[in-house]
PDB file of all heavy atoms in Angstrom:
ATOM      1  N   ALA A  12      -4.708   3.571   1.514  1.00 88.00           N
ATOM      2  CA  ALA A  12      -5.697   2.507   1.297  1.00 88.00           C
ATOM      3  C   ALA A  12      -6.252   2.081   2.646  1.00 88.00           C
ATOM      4  O   ALA A  12      -5.606   2.267   3.680  1.00 88.00           O
ATOM      5  CB  ALA A  12      -5.057   1.320   0.587  1.00 88.00           C
ATOM      6  N   PRO A  13      -7.447   1.512   2.676  1.00 90.00           N
ATOM      7  CA  PRO A  13      -7.973   1.000   3.939  1.00 90.00           C
ATOM      8  C   PRO A  13      -7.093  -0.089   4.553  1.00 90.00           C
ATOM      9  O   PRO A  13      -7.121  -0.303   5.766  1.00 90.00           O
ATOM     10  CB  PRO A  13      -9.349   0.446   3.556  1.00 90.00           C
ATOM     11  CG  PRO A  13      -9.721   1.180   2.323  1.00 90.00           C
ATOM     12  CD  PRO A  13      -8.429   1.394   1.589  1.00 90.00           C
ATOM     13  N   ARG A  14      -6.300  -0.738   3.688  1.00 90.00           N
ATOM     14  CA  ARG A  14      -5.492  -1.849   4.189  1.00 90.00           C
ATOM     15  C   ARG A  14      -4.126  -1.815   3.509  1.00 90.00           C
ATOM     16  O   ARG A  14      -4.037  -1.912   2.291  1.00 90.00           O
ATOM     17  CB  ARG A  14      -6.197  -3.175   3.886  1.00 90.00           C
ATOM     18  CG  ARG A  14      -5.560  -4.416   4.458  1.00 90.00           C
ATOM     19  CD  ARG A  14      -6.530  -5.584   4.259  1.00 90.00           C
ATOM     20  NE  ARG A  14      -6.053  -6.806   4.861  1.00 90.00           N
ATOM     21  CZ  ARG A  14      -5.379  -7.764   4.222  1.00 90.00           C
ATOM     22  NH1 ARG A  14      -5.112  -7.602   2.922  1.00 90.00           N
ATOM     23  NH2 ARG A  14      -4.991  -8.849   4.839  1.00 90.00           N
ATOM     24  N   LEU A  15      -3.077  -1.635   4.303  1.00 90.00           N
ATOM     25  CA  LEU A  15      -1.704  -1.666   3.794  1.00 90.00           C
ATOM     26  C   LEU A  15      -1.027  -2.931   4.318  1.00 90.00           C
ATOM     27  O   LEU A  15      -1.088  -3.246   5.514  1.00 90.00           O
ATOM     28  CB  LEU A  15      -0.918  -0.440   4.255  1.00 90.00           C
ATOM     29  CG  LEU A  15      -1.439   0.927   3.794  1.00 90.00           C
ATOM     30  CD1 LEU A  15      -0.530   2.034   4.316  1.00 90.00           C
ATOM     31  CD2 LEU A  15      -1.540   0.991   2.287  1.00 90.00           C
ATOM     32  N   VAL A  16      -0.368  -3.648   3.402  1.00 88.00           N
ATOM     33  CA  VAL A  16       0.298  -4.898   3.755  1.00 88.00           C
ATOM     34  C   VAL A  16       1.778  -4.754   3.438  1.00 88.00           C
ATOM     35  O   VAL A  16       2.156  -4.489   2.288  1.00 88.00           O
ATOM     36  CB  VAL A  16      -0.292  -6.095   2.978  1.00 88.00           C
ATOM     37  CG1 VAL A  16       0.435  -7.376   3.371  1.00 88.00           C
ATOM     38  CG2 VAL A  16      -1.775  -6.217   3.245  1.00 88.00           C
ATOM     39  N   LEU A  17       2.626  -4.934   4.469  1.00 84.00           N
ATOM     40  CA  LEU A  17       4.080  -4.888   4.283  1.00 84.00           C
ATOM     41  C   LEU A  17       4.603  -6.310   4.158  1.00 84.00           C
ATOM     42  O   LEU A  17       4.442  -7.131   5.074  1.00 84.00           O
ATOM     43  CB  LEU A  17       4.760  -4.190   5.459  1.00 84.00           C
ATOM     44  CG  LEU A  17       6.300  -4.236   5.458  1.00 84.00           C
ATOM     45  CD1 LEU A  17       6.863  -3.512   4.242  1.00 84.00           C
ATOM     46  CD2 LEU A  17       6.863  -3.664   6.747  1.00 84.00           C
ATOM     47  N   GLN A  18       5.212  -6.623   2.995  1.00 82.00           N
ATOM     48  CA  GLN A  18       5.876  -7.900   2.801  1.00 82.00           C
ATOM     49  C   GLN A  18       7.293  -7.768   3.358  1.00 82.00           C
ATOM     50  O   GLN A  18       8.150  -7.123   2.755  1.00 82.00           O
ATOM     51  CB  GLN A  18       5.910  -8.260   1.304  1.00 82.00           C
ATOM     52  CG  GLN A  18       4.548  -8.323   0.638  1.00 82.00           C
ATOM     53  CD  GLN A  18       3.787  -9.597   1.010  1.00 82.00           C
ATOM     54  OE1 GLN A  18       4.202 -10.360   1.851  1.00 82.00           O
ATOM     55  NE2 GLN A  18       2.651  -9.795   0.358  1.00 82.00           N
ATOM     56  N   ARG A  19       7.540  -8.374   4.517  1.00 74.00           N
ATOM     57  CA  ARG A  19       8.802  -8.149   5.226  1.00 74.00           C
ATOM     58  C   ARG A  19      10.010  -8.682   4.473  1.00 74.00           C
ATOM     59  O   ARG A  19      11.091  -8.103   4.532  1.00 74.00           O
ATOM     60  CB  ARG A  19       8.736  -8.788   6.608  1.00 74.00           C
ATOM     61  CG  ARG A  19       7.667  -8.198   7.515  1.00 74.00           C
ATOM     62  CD  ARG A  19       7.563  -8.997   8.796  1.00 74.00           C
ATOM     63  NE  ARG A  19       8.821  -8.990   9.534  1.00 74.00           N
ATOM     64  CZ  ARG A  19       9.130  -9.856  10.490  1.00 74.00           C
ATOM     65  NH1 ARG A  19       8.276 -10.829  10.786  1.00 74.00           N
ATOM     66  NH2 ARG A  19      10.262  -9.782  11.129  1.00 74.00           N
ATOM     67  N   ALA A  20       9.832  -9.774   3.755  1.00 73.00           N
ATOM     68  CA  ALA A  20      10.988 -10.407   3.117  1.00 73.00           C
ATOM     69  C   ALA A  20      11.641  -9.498   2.087  1.00 73.00           C
ATOM     70  O   ALA A  20      12.870  -9.371   2.033  1.00 73.00           O
ATOM     71  CB  ALA A  20      10.578 -11.732   2.478  1.00 73.00           C
ATOM     72  N   ASP A  21      10.820  -8.827   1.234  1.00 73.00           N
ATOM     73  CA  ASP A  21      11.378  -7.994   0.172  1.00 73.00           C
ATOM     74  C   ASP A  21      11.128  -6.507   0.390  1.00 73.00           C
ATOM     75  O   ASP A  21      11.477  -5.672  -0.453  1.00 73.00           O
ATOM     76  CB  ASP A  21      10.817  -8.418  -1.189  1.00 73.00           C
ATOM     77  CG  ASP A  21       9.300  -8.560  -1.159  1.00 73.00           C
ATOM     78  OD1 ASP A  21       8.680  -7.983  -0.241  1.00 73.00           O
ATOM     79  OD2 ASP A  21       8.761  -9.240  -2.031  1.00 73.00           O
ATOM     80  N   GLY A  22      10.471  -6.150   1.515  1.00 72.00           N
ATOM     81  CA  GLY A  22      10.250  -4.746   1.811  1.00 72.00           C
ATOM     82  C   GLY A  22       9.224  -4.073   0.924  1.00 72.00           C
ATOM     83  O   GLY A  22       9.218  -2.846   0.811  1.00 72.00           O
ATOM     84  N   VAL A  23       8.321  -4.805   0.301  1.00 79.00           N
ATOM     85  CA  VAL A  23       7.297  -4.247  -0.586  1.00 79.00           C
ATOM     86  C   VAL A  23       6.057  -3.913   0.224  1.00 79.00           C
ATOM     87  O   VAL A  23       5.595  -4.715   1.043  1.00 79.00           O
ATOM     88  CB  VAL A  23       6.961  -5.250  -1.701  1.00 79.00           C
ATOM     89  CG1 VAL A  23       5.788  -4.736  -2.526  1.00 79.00           C
ATOM     90  CG2 VAL A  23       8.185  -5.476  -2.584  1.00 79.00           C
ATOM     91  N   LEU A  24       5.490  -2.729  -0.020  1.00 80.00           N
ATOM     92  CA  LEU A  24       4.258  -2.292   0.626  1.00 80.00           C
ATOM     93  C   LEU A  24       3.118  -2.331  -0.384  1.00 80.00           C
ATOM     94  O   LEU A  24       3.203  -1.724  -1.449  1.00 80.00           O
ATOM     95  CB  LEU A  24       4.414  -0.882   1.183  1.00 80.00           C
ATOM     96  CG  LEU A  24       3.197  -0.312   1.928  1.00 80.00           C
ATOM     97  CD1 LEU A  24       2.937  -1.117   3.199  1.00 80.00           C
ATOM     98  CD2 LEU A  24       3.421   1.161   2.255  1.00 80.00           C
ATOM     99  N   ILE A  25       2.045  -3.037  -0.050  1.00 84.00           N
ATOM    100  CA  ILE A  25       0.903  -3.207  -0.949  1.00 84.00           C
ATOM    101  C   ILE A  25      -0.327  -2.579  -0.306  1.00 84.00           C
ATOM    102  O   ILE A  25      -0.632  -2.838   0.857  1.00 84.00           O
ATOM    103  CB  ILE A  25       0.636  -4.692  -1.243  1.00 84.00           C
ATOM    104  CG1 ILE A  25       1.868  -5.334  -1.886  1.00 84.00           C
ATOM    105  CG2 ILE A  25      -0.583  -4.871  -2.136  1.00 84.00           C
ATOM    106  CD1 ILE A  25       1.762  -6.832  -2.051  1.00 84.00           C
ATOM    107  N   GLY A  26      -1.058  -1.742  -1.072  1.00 84.00           N
ATOM    108  CA  GLY A  26      -2.298  -1.171  -0.605  1.00 84.00           C
ATOM    109  C   GLY A  26      -3.474  -1.820  -1.297  1.00 84.00           C
ATOM    110  O   GLY A  26      -3.492  -1.940  -2.514  1.00 84.00           O
ATOM    111  N   ASP A  27      -4.459  -2.279  -0.537  1.00 80.00           N
ATOM    112  CA  ASP A  27      -5.640  -2.894  -1.162  1.00 80.00           C
ATOM    113  C   ASP A  27      -6.825  -2.809  -0.197  1.00 80.00           C
ATOM    114  O   ASP A  27      -6.722  -2.242   0.887  1.00 80.00           O
ATOM    115  CB  ASP A  27      -5.360  -4.359  -1.534  1.00 80.00           C
ATOM    116  CG  ASP A  27      -5.088  -5.231  -0.324  1.00 80.00           C
ATOM    117  OD1 ASP A  27      -5.280  -4.775   0.834  1.00 80.00           O
ATOM    118  OD2 ASP A  27      -4.688  -6.389  -0.513  1.00 80.00           O
ATOM    119  N   GLY A  28      -7.950  -3.371  -0.668  1.00 69.00           N
ATOM    120  CA  GLY A  28      -9.101  -3.528   0.191  1.00 69.00           C
ATOM    121  C   GLY A  28     -10.107  -2.408   0.129  1.00 69.00           C
ATOM    122  O   GLY A  28     -11.048  -2.404   0.908  1.00 69.00           O
ATOM    123  N   GLY A  29      -9.948  -1.436  -0.753  1.00 53.00           N
ATOM    124  CA  GLY A  29     -10.907  -0.359  -0.794  1.00 53.00           C
ATOM    125  C   GLY A  29     -11.381  -0.065  -2.205  1.00 53.00           C
ATOM    126  O   GLY A  29     -11.069  -0.787  -3.161  1.00 53.00           O
ATOM    127  N   ALA A  30     -12.113   1.011  -2.327  1.00 44.00           N
ATOM    128  CA  ALA A  30     -12.602   1.406  -3.653  1.00 44.00           C
ATOM    129  C   ALA A  30     -11.451   1.808  -4.546  1.00 44.00           C
ATOM    130  O   ALA A  30     -11.516   1.664  -5.764  1.00 44.00           O
ATOM    131  CB  ALA A  30     -13.599   2.540  -3.517  1.00 44.00           C
ATOM    132  N   ARG A  31     -10.407   2.354  -4.012  1.00 46.00           N
ATOM    133  CA  ARG A  31      -9.267   2.733  -4.852  1.00 46.00           C
ATOM    134  C   ARG A  31      -7.991   2.688  -4.027  1.00 46.00           C
ATOM    135  O   ARG A  31      -8.000   2.783  -2.803  1.00 46.00           O
ATOM    136  CB  ARG A  31      -9.455   4.118  -5.425  1.00 46.00           C
ATOM    137  CG  ARG A  31      -9.433   5.221  -4.377  1.00 46.00           C
ATOM    138  CD  ARG A  31      -9.475   6.588  -5.008  1.00 46.00           C
ATOM    139  NE  ARG A  31      -9.309   7.638  -4.019  1.00 46.00           N
ATOM    140  CZ  ARG A  31      -9.107   8.912  -4.334  1.00 46.00           C
ATOM    141  NH1 ARG A  31      -9.042   9.276  -5.611  1.00 46.00           N
ATOM    142  NH2 ARG A  31      -8.981   9.820  -3.387  1.00 46.00           N
ATOM    143  N   THR A  32      -6.903   2.521  -4.701  1.00 49.00           N
ATOM    144  CA  THR A  32      -5.573   2.613  -4.117  1.00 49.00           C
ATOM    145  C   THR A  32      -4.807   3.601  -4.951  1.00 49.00           C
ATOM    146  O   THR A  32      -4.751   3.479  -6.175  1.00 49.00           O
ATOM    147  CB  THR A  32      -4.857   1.244  -4.151  1.00 49.00           C
ATOM    148  OG1 THR A  32      -5.595   0.327  -3.356  1.00 49.00           O
ATOM    149  CG2 THR A  32      -3.451   1.380  -3.620  1.00 49.00           C
ATOM    150  N   GLU A  33      -4.265   4.614  -4.335  1.00 49.00           N
ATOM    151  CA  GLU A  33      -3.567   5.624  -5.119  1.00 49.00           C
ATOM    152  C   GLU A  33      -2.131   5.775  -4.647  1.00 49.00           C
ATOM    153  O   GLU A  33      -1.809   5.611  -3.476  1.00 49.00           O
ATOM    154  CB  GLU A  33      -4.286   6.975  -4.992  1.00 49.00           C
ATOM    155  CG  GLU A  33      -4.384   7.502  -3.564  1.00 49.00           C
ATOM    156  CD  GLU A  33      -5.152   8.805  -3.505  1.00 49.00           C
ATOM    157  OE1 GLU A  33      -6.398   8.776  -3.576  1.00 49.00           O
ATOM    158  OE2 GLU A  33      -4.482   9.836  -3.396  1.00 49.00           O
ATOM    159  N   ILE A  34      -1.251   6.017  -5.588  1.00 49.00           N
ATOM    160  CA  ILE A  34       0.143   6.322  -5.335  1.00 49.00           C
ATOM    161  C   ILE A  34       0.390   7.678  -5.947  1.00 49.00           C
ATOM    162  O   ILE A  34       0.266   7.845  -7.165  1.00 49.00           O
ATOM    163  CB  ILE A  34       1.085   5.278  -5.952  1.00 49.00           C
ATOM    164  CG1 ILE A  34       0.764   3.878  -5.394  1.00 49.00           C
ATOM    165  CG2 ILE A  34       2.543   5.633  -5.676  1.00 49.00           C
ATOM    166  CD1 ILE A  34       1.586   2.792  -6.025  1.00 49.00           C
ATOM    167  N   VAL A  35       0.645   8.667  -5.139  1.00 47.00           N
ATOM    168  CA  VAL A  35       0.831  10.028  -5.650  1.00 47.00           C
ATOM    169  C   VAL A  35       2.101  10.617  -5.095  1.00 47.00           C
ATOM    170  O   VAL A  35       2.687  10.118  -4.132  1.00 47.00           O
ATOM    171  CB  VAL A  35      -0.371  10.920  -5.221  1.00 47.00           C
ATOM    172  CG1 VAL A  35      -1.668  10.370  -5.765  1.00 47.00           C
ATOM    173  CG2 VAL A  35      -0.450  11.030  -3.715  1.00 47.00           C
ATOM    174  N   SER A  36       2.550  11.685  -5.740  1.00 41.00           N
ATOM    175  CA  SER A  36       3.675  12.473  -5.263  1.00 41.00           C
ATOM    176  C   SER A  36       3.146  13.760  -4.709  1.00 41.00           C
ATOM    177  O   SER A  36       2.264  14.396  -5.276  1.00 41.00           O
ATOM    178  CB  SER A  36       4.666  12.752  -6.398  1.00 41.00           C
ATOM    179  OG  SER A  36       5.219  11.549  -6.876  1.00 41.00           O
ATOM    180  N   MET A  37       3.644  14.141  -3.564  1.00 37.00           N
ATOM    181  CA  MET A  37       3.189  15.368  -2.948  1.00 37.00           C
ATOM    182  C   MET A  37       4.317  15.957  -2.102  1.00 37.00           C
ATOM    183  O   MET A  37       5.258  15.257  -1.701  1.00 37.00           O
ATOM    184  CB  MET A  37       1.953  15.127  -2.077  1.00 37.00           C
ATOM    185  CG  MET A  37       2.153  14.086  -0.992  1.00 37.00           C
ATOM    186  SD  MET A  37       0.613  13.609  -0.193  1.00 37.00           S
ATOM    187  CE  MET A  37       0.059  15.168   0.417  1.00 37.00           C
ATOM    188  N   ALA A  38       4.248  17.253  -1.874  1.00 36.00           N
ATOM    189  CA  ALA A  38       5.281  17.902  -1.088  1.00 36.00           C
ATOM    190  C   ALA A  38       5.184  17.459   0.367  1.00 36.00           C
ATOM    191  O   ALA A  38       4.118  17.185   0.882  1.00 36.00           O
ATOM    192  CB  ALA A  38       5.126  19.428  -1.206  1.00 36.00           C
TER     193      ALA A  38
END
């Protein structure tokens, strides 16, 4: 994503700020 935000307290990574956010599996 154009913008990745790491929430330090719980270790969650959030992608936002663009036309799309994708989570994929790849080798």
Side-chain angles (χ1 to χ4, degrees):
R14 186 170 184 265
L15 298 181
V16 180
L17 173 63
Q18 303 284 7
R19 297 173 60 198
D21 48 20
V23 174
L24 182 65
I25 301 173
D27 64 9
R31 67 174 186 169
T32 297
E33 59 182 78
I34 302 176
V35 300
S36 297
M37 57 191 302

